[in-house]
Amino acid sequence: MPGLTAFTTLQAEAKRSWQELIESRTPHILIGTATCGKVSGAMSVYEAITATLERLGIKATVTQVGCFGMCYAEPTMDIALPGQPRISYGFMTPEKASRIIEDYIIHHNPRPDLALCTIGDGRIEGITPFDDMPMLKGQHRIAIRNCGHINPLRINHYIARNGYAGLSRALSTMTPQTVIDEILKSGLRGRGGAGFATGQKWQYCRDAAATPKYVVCNADEGDPGAFMDRSILEGDPHSVVEGLTIAAHAIGAAEGFIYVRAEYPLAVTTIKHAVAQAREYGLLGQNIMGSGFDFDIHIKEGAGAFVCGEETALMASIEGKRGLPRTRPPFPATSGLWGKPTCINNVKTLAMAAYILAEGADKFAAIGTERSKGTCVFALAGNINHMGLVEVPMGTPLSEVIYGIGGGIAESKPLKAVQIGGPSGGCLPANLISTGLDYESLAKSGAIMGSGGLIVMDEDNCMVDVARYFLSFVQAESCGKCTPCRLGTRQMLDILERITRGEGQPADIDRLQELAKQIKISSLCALGGTSPNPVLTTLKYFLNEYEAHINEGRCPAGVCKALITYSIVSDKCPGCRKCVKPCPAGAISFVAKGQPVLLDEKLCNRCGVCRDVCKLGAVAVS
Amino acid sequence: MAADFGSSSIEIPRLLAGFRRDQSNLIPLLQSLQQAIGYLPAEAITAAAEHLGLSETTVFSVASFYTQFKFQPPGRDKIKVCRGTACHVGGGERIIAELQRDLGIKPGETTPGGEYSLDTVACVGACALAPVVIINDDIFGRASPRQIIDELANHKPGAGCPCRD
C-alpha cells in the first residue's frame, strides 16, 4: 500500500511522463473514441492513422481520448507537433486523416482548411485559437475538465492533471468533518437535478448513528437526451472514483457502488477498468495512501428501467429487487441500502467534489450565481448546429448557449422551444431564452435543471406532439407502483393522443391541467411527480397550438399525421427526383426531367421524408 | 445440467458458480445467463432461483420488471431503435414505423422465421448523432429509414458498420 509519500512520488512520476508526452520531440496524435466518436467512424480513422504512420515511417504517439464535446464534428483528430500548439481537426474520414498526417508532419502544411481550432499556447496562421472558438469561448470546464485531454484507461494521465490530489489532501491533512465543511463552503449542489446541497447530504449521512454506511454513485443516466454522465465515465472515469472515495471518507463508509446503465457498454467497461486500476495503485482497498482508511467500489449494471434513476428505486435494484421507489422519509442518508445510512450522488457531483478538494472551495464558489455556485454541464442536441457537450458557469443565459456555443439553429430556421431537464423538465419558448441557467431562474420559468439534457427545437416541431412523446415515455417507464403515475399519466396520454388525431375536445385542456395537478401532488416519487411538467409548460407557453388542434383540426407545425396532407408545389419542383427513392411508401413518381414529380395522396403515409430531402421547398404541408 | 439452447450448449452451473448466494447478485446473475443464452428460458429462471435460494416467482418478478431481460429467443439480427428525445426530434419514430412496416412486426417481437427482432431503447446517449439505430453491436448514427432497411437487406452479422471496434 503506498503511503502519502508514495503518492507524492507517483504524482511526480506521472507529471514527469505527462510533460515528456506534451513536450515530446515526436508528434502526438489524439483521437476521440468515446461512443459518439465510434458511432461516427473513429475506429476506422484510428486504423488509418496507424497505417499511415507506418507507411510513412513516422514515429509518433497515438492516444485514444474521450469526448472533447464537439460531437457535431466527430470523428475528431488532433495533432501536436513539437513546439507547436495542438491542432484539432473535425469530420474525419480515413482518407482525410491520412492526407492531413502526410501534409502536416511531412510537408509542414497544417491544413488550415480542415482544422477546427488550435489548443494551447501559440498561433498557427489561418486557424482559430481554442479560446476564440464560439463553441468553446463561453465554457468553463470543471466536471469535464479532462474529457478529450487524457486517455481514460491511463491512471497516470489523470494523476498528472492533478487527479487524486483532492483525495490525498482529504486523507492527509483533513478530518472527515473538514472535508464536509469544504464542500459546504464551495456551495456545491447535487447535479443529478434536484440541486440539494451536497455538503448537507454528506453531513446527514455522517451524523447518522447506524453502521455500516454506504456511498453510491448514481450513473443511471436514463433521461432521454442527456449524455454528460456517459461522457465523463468514458472520458474521465477516475474523477468519479476519486469523488466517491472522498465522499466515503467524509461520511465514514467502507463500501461503495457505482450503478451504471447497461445501455452504456463503453462506459461500463471504462469505469470497471478505472476501479481495477485504482485498486492496483492502492487508491482503493485497504489503508489508502497509508491513512488507515479502507474503501472499495463495486460496479452494478442497470437493467433498463428508467425509474432506477430515482434513488430509492436504485437502491432496491442494487439489493436485487424490482426497482420500485418508496416513500421518503426515511431518507437514504439515515436508512438506505439494506436499511443503513447511504449517500447517493450523481456522476457530475462527484467529479466536481474531486475538483473542489484539489483546488479549494473558494475557486469553485467564485463561479456561478449567489445561490447556484460553480458550473453546469449540458448535452446540447436537437435542431442545433453545434451538438455536443457544454459546461458553463451557472447563470449563463440560455441564449448564449444556443446561439454562441451552439452556433444557432440548424438551417437558420427560427427557434421554437428548448426542452430542458428530460421528461421531468419543461419546454421553454423562444421568448424566454434570456433565462439564466441556474436552479432558481429555471424553476421560475416552470422548467428544471434536471440532469442537463438540452434539446433545441425549430419551428417544424409540434409542441402537442412533443408533450405526447414525453407522456408516452413516462407511461412506458412508470414502475406502476402508485396509481397517480400509472393511471394518471395513461389518462393524460390518451387525451394527448386524441388531440393529435384531431379528436380533441375543448374541455381537454382543463382535464389535462386537473390531471397534472393531481399527479404532481399525489405521486409517490419525483419521477411521477414531475412527469406532467412537459404538458404543463407546453400548455402555458404554446396554448395556441393545442387550440389549433382542438378547435380548428389543424397542426400548425405540420407534424400530426391525421391533420396534414402533403403536396408538391409545381412551380418549385424541377423534377430532380431526390425525393423519389427515399419515399418509403412509393407515393412519389417521376414524370420527366423539368416536370414536377407526382405525389399520390392515397399512398402517402405522411412521414415527411420528402420534405426533409427537398432543399427547394417544393413539398408543402397543409 | 448442460442445457442445449439452439446452436450453443451452455453450462449453467459453471456460470452460477461465479455468484455468491445473495439476492444482491440476482440481477448480475440473470445478466450473465442472458448474455450466454441470448434470453432467459424457464430453465435459467429455475436455476437462478435454486442457486440464490429464492422462489421462482421472486426471480421472475424481478426479471420481468427490467426491460433488458427477454423470455423469448431473439432474432438472428437484433435491431434496436433509440427513442430518446433527440432521436424523436430527428425522426426516430419514422424509422420505427418504417421498420414495423418492412418487417411486419412490432417493437418487442421477432419475425416468424427468427431472422429479426425489433426493439426500442430509452436512450443510448449518442444524441448528437440522432437518430440512432443499433443492429446487433453496430451503432448507426444520423440514420434514415431507407438506409437502415438497405443495411438490413445486405446485412451480414458483425459486418458493414464503420463504427465497429
Side-chain angles (χ1 to χ4, degrees):
Chain A
M1 294 317 132
L4 188 61
T5 341
F7 177 71
T8 316
T9 318
L10 192 67
Q11 196 180 38
E13 172 55 27
K15 287 196 171 170
R16 194 191 53 75
S17 67
W18 178 257
Q19 215 53 37
E20 221 170 71
L21 177 70
I22 302 299
E23 290 164 7
S24 161
R25 301 181 68 80
T26 57
H28 186 199
I29 301 176
L30 303 97
I31 171 149
T33 54
T35 297
C36 41
K38 282 189 168 156
V39 172
S40 312
M43 291 324 283
S44 49
V45 173
Y46 176 77
E47 279 161 27
I49 293 170
T50 47
T52 309
L53 292 172
E54 202 178 303
R55 178 172 55 87
L56 299 173
I58 301 170
K59 201 169 164 265
T61 313
V62 185
T63 307
Q64 291 190 38
V65 293
C67 178
F68 194 69
M70 294 190 281
C71 306
Y72 72 99
E74 295 276 10
T76 58
M77 170 182 78
D78 293 13
I79 302 180
L81 294 191
Q84 295 291 328
R86 167 176 158 186
I87 306 176
S88 201
Y89 301 92
F91 311 100
M92 282 299 102
T93 60
E95 299 72 33
K96 261 196 220 172
S98 309
R99 205 171 334 127
I100 292 170
I101 288 174
E102 191 163 347
D103 287 348
Y104 189 23
I105 302 178
I106 304 277
H107 304 298
H108 313 292
N109 172 6
R111 294 301 304 262
D113 54 324
L114 297 172
L116 291 169
C117 64
T118 57
I119 300 171
D121 296 336
R123 301 255 162 143
I124 291 177
E125 211 187 311
I127 305 179
T128 318
F130 179 99
D131 292 334
D132 293 343
M133 278 275 285
M135 179 156 194
L136 303 164
K137 204 159 52 177
Q139 296 205 37
H140 189 119
R141 295 177 171 220
I142 291 177
I144 57 171
R145 59 195 177 276
N146 291 318
C147 293
H149 287 288
I150 62 167
N151 180 341
L153 302 180
R154 299 276 296 274
I155 193 169
N156 269 347
H157 283 197
Y158 178 68
I159 293 174
R161 284 176 60 100
N162 228 14
Y164 288 105
L167 177 66
S168 157
R169 181 174 161 232
L171 292 182
S172 60
T173 64
M174 298 168 88
T175 63
Q177 189 56 54
T178 51
V179 170
I180 294 176
D181 294 342
E182 183 92 0
I183 296 291
L184 278 169
K185 197 170 145 203
S186 74
L188 176 64
R189 294 167 66 175
R191 292 317 197 243
F196 188 79
T198 305
Q200 197 70 59
K201 198 187 244 187
W202 289 14
Q203 187 75 62
Y204 286 145
C205 212
R206 169 154 192 81
D207 293 343
T211 53
K213 294 176 183 177
Y214 299 101
V215 285
V216 177
C217 168
N218 182 348
D220 187 69
E221 187 174 49
D223 271 17
F227 53 90
M228 305 74 62
D229 293 354
R230 172 182 66 71
S231 297
I232 294 172
L233 291 170
E234 288 176 357
D236 190 19
H238 282 285
S239 64
V240 183
V241 174
E242 186 187 358
L244 194 61
T245 312
I246 292 168
H249 166 64
I251 71 151
E255 227 179 320
F257 295 87
I258 296 177
Y259 188 92
V260 54
R261 299 186 78 200
E263 289 90 337
Y264 288 173
L266 185 60
V268 172
T269 313
T270 320
I271 192 71
K272 277 186 179 166
H273 181 273
V275 166
Q277 210 172 32
R279 238 178 247 145
E280 196 185 308
Y281 277 69
L283 300 168
L284 281 178
Q286 308 261 302
N287 192 20
I288 297 169
M289 294 185 189
S291 64
F293 172 58
D294 302 339
F295 176 66
D296 209 348
I297 294 175
H298 311 277
I299 308 286
K300 286 277 180 180
E301 282 181 53
F306 175 68
V307 69
C308 289
E310 201 279 342
E311 55 185 15
T312 58
L314 184 151
M315 292 186 306
S317 184
I318 290 182
E319 291 175 6
K321 299 174 185 157
R322 299 173 72 125
L324 300 176
R326 60 159 176 79
T327 46
R328 296 175 302 175
F331 287 95
T334 49
S335 176
L337 273 175
W338 298 287
K340 303 294 181 189
T342 304
C343 174
I344 303 192
N345 290 123
N346 173 262
V347 168
K348 297 175 284 288
T349 315
L350 293 170
M352 286 181 181
Y355 171 90
I356 291 165
L357 265 289
E359 304 286 336
D362 294 338
K363 200 166 167 186
F364 186 83
I367 311 160
T369 68
E370 203 190 327
R371 291 183 56 204
S372 296
K373 302 286 187 199
T375 56
C376 43
V377 193
F378 291 100
L380 203 53
N383 307 124
I384 191 153
N385 283 320
H386 297 162
M387 286 183 262
L389 208 57
V390 166
E391 185 167 0
V392 289
M394 285 271 189
T396 303
L398 188 49
S399 51
E400 199 177 313
V401 172
I402 295 173
Y403 287 102
I405 295 168
I409 312 306
E411 297 171 28
S412 304
K413 288 184 179 173
L415 169 73
K416 183 170 198 174
V418 181
Q419 210 286 330
I420 181 163
S424 313
C427 296
L428 298 185
N431 62 14
L432 280 187
I433 57 163
S434 56
T435 304
L437 290 166
D438 55 82
Y439 295 109
E440 289 72 31
S441 310
L442 283 171
K444 232 182 272 169
S445 69
I448 58 163
M449 184 79 80
S451 61
L454 236 172
I455 312 278
V456 177
M457 298 178 195
D458 64 22
E459 58 176 4
D460 294 338
N461 288 277
C462 165
M463 301 318 288
V464 184
D465 174 70
V466 168
R468 181 202 58 79
Y469 160 76
F470 279 109
L471 256 292
S472 72
F473 181 86
V474 172
Q475 174 59 35
E477 296 291 341
S478 170
C479 79
K481 183 174 176 177
C482 77
T483 321
C485 177
R486 184 179 69 244
L487 298 180
T489 58
R490 174 81 252 170
Q491 291 302 314
M492 288 184 94
L493 178 59
D494 283 349
I495 296 173
L496 288 165
E497 279 179 345
R498 245 183 326 102
I499 297 175
T500 55
R501 280 201 308 268
E503 298 160 13
Q505 300 151 7
D508 282 345
I509 290 171
D510 286 342
R511 257 186 228 130
L512 282 173
Q513 251 147 357
E514 181 57 24
L515 279 164
K517 199 173 115 196
Q518 294 302 332
I519 294 168
K520 250 180 175 313
I521 56 173
S522 58
S523 283
L524 177 63
C525 80
L527 297 184
T530 54
S531 63
N533 284 354
V535 181
L536 286 173
T537 48
T538 46
L539 277 171
K540 183 172 172 189
Y541 298 120
F542 301 94
L543 184 63
N544 57 342
E545 283 199 44
Y546 282 85
E547 288 170 345
H549 283 74
I550 296 171
N551 303 333
E552 301 161 38
R554 192 169 62 83
C555 174
V559 171
C560 297
K561 286 185 181 182
L563 307 178
I564 52 171
T565 44
Y566 280 83
S567 58
I568 303 295
V569 185
S570 306
D571 52 344
K572 282 191 183 170
C573 175
C576 72
R577 69 170 118 179
K578 261 192 194 145
C579 58
V580 176
K581 202 181 166 205
C583 174
I588 305 176
S589 41
F590 174 69
V591 180
K593 209 158 184 202
Q595 282 194 43
V597 294
L598 289 178
L599 191 150
D600 185 336
E601 252 185 56
K602 282 194 197 107
L603 290 176
C604 174
N605 67 5
R606 303 178 183 96
C607 70
V609 165
C610 49
R611 192 160 70 134
D612 289 352
V613 295
C614 182
K615 300 295 173 208
L616 303 166
V619 180
V621 190
S622 54
Chain B
M1 180 185 4
D4 188 25
F5 297 105
S7 57
S8 61
S9 194
I10 307 297
E11 285 279 343
I12 290 183
R14 192 173 49 81
L15 281 173
L16 297 178
F19 295 92
R20 231 172 359 101
R21 189 180 164 142
D22 184 322
Q23 184 164 358
S24 67
N25 281 328
L26 175 56
I27 296 169
L29 195 158
L30 293 175
Q31 284 168 329
S32 166
L33 286 170
Q34 178 158 298
Q35 170 89 29
I37 305 169
Y39 71 110
L40 294 177
E43 294 90 325
I45 300 284
T46 311
E50 274 173 16
H51 183 75
L52 297 178
L54 299 167
S55 72
E56 286 183 28
T57 318
T58 306
V59 172
F60 187 72
S61 85
V62 171
S64 60
F65 180 79
Y66 296 96
T67 52
Q68 189 185 16
F69 298 119
K70 309 285 174 207
F71 306 101
Q72 299 296 327
R76 275 193 296 281
D77 279 331
K78 294 176 268 299
I79 309 155
K80 290 185 211 153
V81 186
C82 179
R83 59 183 175 107
T85 320
C87 290
H88 177 79
V89 170
E93 289 208 349
R94 193 188 296 157
I95 297 180
I96 299 173
E98 289 313 315
L99 283 173
Q100 245 175 272
R101 228 165 60 104
D102 198 63
L103 301 172
I105 50 169
K106 288 186 183 146
E109 295 178 351
T110 302
T111 49
E115 293 99 345
Y116 303 106
S117 48
L118 179 63
D119 260 310
T120 57
V121 282
C123 179
V124 292
C127 314
L129 302 159
V132 173
V133 177
I134 305 165
I135 303 178
N136 300 323
D137 293 326
D138 300 336
I139 307 180
F140 296 83
R142 301 188 184 103
S144 71
R146 177 52 49 197
Q147 174 209 354
I148 295 301
I149 288 166
D150 286 351
E151 178 61 35
L152 284 174
N154 308 319
H155 195 71
K156 292 178 192 76
C161 174
C163 62
R164 197 159 50 88
D165 55 355

